[in-house]
Amino acid sequence: PMPMLHNLGSINLDHVYRVPHLVTPGETLASHAYAVGLGGKGANQSLALARAGGRVCHWGRLGRRDAWARDTLADAGVDVSHVSLVDAPSGHAIIQVDDAGENAIILYPGANHGFDGATLEALVDTAAPGDWLLLQNECNGLAALLALAAERRIRVAFNPAPMTDAVGELPLSACRLLFVNRTEAAGLAGLPVDSPSDALLDALATRLPDCELVLTLGAEGAWYQAGGERRHQPALKVSAMDTTGAGDTFIGYYLAALQRGATVPDCLAQATVAAALAVQRPGAAAGIPTADEVADFLGKESP
Ligand code: ATP
């Protein structure tokens, strides 16, 4: 069977309020629309993997009242047997969006920051040889988990988003595959964010010589680097309406293709088409295309 991908990742509830302007100090402001949706980089990447036809088991934590979020992942085909309902508030974002499209966000990590040592041990005990572990930077326990994964020789894919100084202190040599955007690459490389992509890739190759690297650059496409090999995958020319979740879609589709044993150029192509479809639709999770839609575009059979 295909190796399993274990994603220990954030699940956030996004509360989106449409407001005439962003709230100012001391003001009480009426919102004229409200919607709640599933979010968090972890959950989005699991959804993308499942829609891509991948085998993914999500390790996550949600408040007891929010079982619907777990059901949404399960309905998409994600194995949720390790998503626990706990006595803590779910991770959530309070998002104001004004009429000009400007936003302001309060993020509370909540249950996403409550992973204990026993859960991390259980994850590495469950992983079979050849399985992948996927991580982002929205949950606690990363340093311990990377150390455990290195000990057990579990293949780790890491997307250090959102970037923080703490990422630089992690035992990153445990990573087999790193997905970074420009901000994350610059942070890890210790270079200015507007550095040429070659300089970013050179610095990362020096720092992590044994790690495959995928650098995504929005409409400028993506770079792949491993050892002496470096290849560019152009983005599709599309008119983007909402780029949130483009990176998560790209990562999910890349990893699902890799799970099926696809070559690097094929992984890049699948991920690029999926992300280009996602940016043409509103919403992060809602915008992630299905494998059939990606296959239609590529003019191939669906996996
Ligand atoms: P986010 O944090 O918004 O999810 P990100 O910064 O992690 O995104 P990007 O580098 O912006 O990720 O985008 C990932 C991939 O999505 C790109 O490599 C590209 O293939 C595709 N993509 C993003 N923006 C566009 C665009 N405007 N047009 C076409 N493809 C795009």
Side-chain angles (χ1 to χ4, degrees):
M2 258 197 260
M4 180 61 95
L5 188 142
H6 303 271
N7 181 13
L8 184 133
S10 55
I11 307 176
N12 282 334
L13 311 185
D14 288 343
H15 299 272
V16 184
Y17 299 85
R18 302 295 308 214
V19 286
H21 59 262
L22 302 183
V23 71
T24 54
E27 183 183 23
T28 299
L29 181 64
S31 165
H32 52 77
Y34 166 70
V36 59
L38 178 61
K41 286 174 195 296
N44 288 342
Q45 291 176 20
S46 280
L47 268 178
L49 260 147
R51 290 205 185 133
R55 265 186 89 208
V56 53
C57 177
H58 194 94
W59 293 67
R61 304 175 88 251
L62 271 171
R64 292 206 184 280
R65 286 176 303 181
D66 301 318
W68 65 268
R70 183 182 62 180
D71 298 341
T72 303
L73 289 171
D75 290 346
V78 177
D79 177 343
V80 296
S81 47
H82 295 286
V83 175
S84 333
L85 299 179
V86 301
D87 290 320
S90 297
H92 61 270
I94 306 288
I95 304 171
Q96 304 177 48
V97 182
D98 75 11
D99 292 338
E102 188 67 68
N103 66 46
I105 301 174
I106 299 173
L107 186 65
Y108 185 67
N112 293 319
H113 274 197
F115 286 95
D116 58 16
T119 304
L120 309 183
E121 292 272 359
L123 195 166
V124 295
D125 284 345
T126 305
D131 281 1
W132 280 91
L133 169 63
L134 171 62
L135 301 169
Q136 310 80 25
N137 192 27
E138 288 186 331
C139 294
N140 72 309
L142 293 185
L145 197 47
L146 285 169
L148 280 171
E151 225 175 85
R152 313 282 180 100
R153 299 178 188 280
I154 296 167
R155 297 188 281 181
V156 179
F158 183 37
N159 169 222
M163 187 62 191
T164 55
D165 289 343
V167 170
E169 313 297 313
L170 292 171
L172 294 177
S173 56
C175 300
R176 177 77 77 88
L177 179 53
L178 199 65
F179 292 98
V180 287
N181 67 10
R182 175 174 280 289
T183 313
E184 293 137 19
L188 275 178
L191 291 172
V193 75
D194 56 358
S195 303
S197 54
D198 271 341
L200 294 173
L201 289 165
D202 286 343
L204 291 172
T206 306
R207 172 146 190 206
L208 296 164
D210 301 322
C211 186
E212 286 175 73
L213 198 82
V214 179
L215 168 63
T216 62
L217 297 171
E220 292 165 51
W223 285 92
Y224 169 87
Q225 172 174 276
E229 182 192 357
R230 193 170 286 183
R231 76 170 54 235
H232 183 244
Q233 169 73 49
L236 300 185
K237 290 199 185 351
V238 297
S239 119
M241 73 159 293
D242 182 355
T243 61
T244 43
D248 295 334
T249 304
F250 187 100
I251 290 167
Y253 266 82
Y254 187 101
L255 287 170
L258 193 64
Q259 234 179 0
R260 289 195 295 276
T263 61
V264 167
D266 198 23
C267 293
L268 288 168
Q270 300 266 341
T272 296
V273 170
L277 293 174
V279 301
Q280 295 174 76
R281 302 170 179 181
I288 301 169
T290 63
D292 284 340
E293 291 168 324
V294 173
D296 273 355
F297 190 97
L298 282 165
K300 281 193 205 144
E301 289 269 289
S302 174

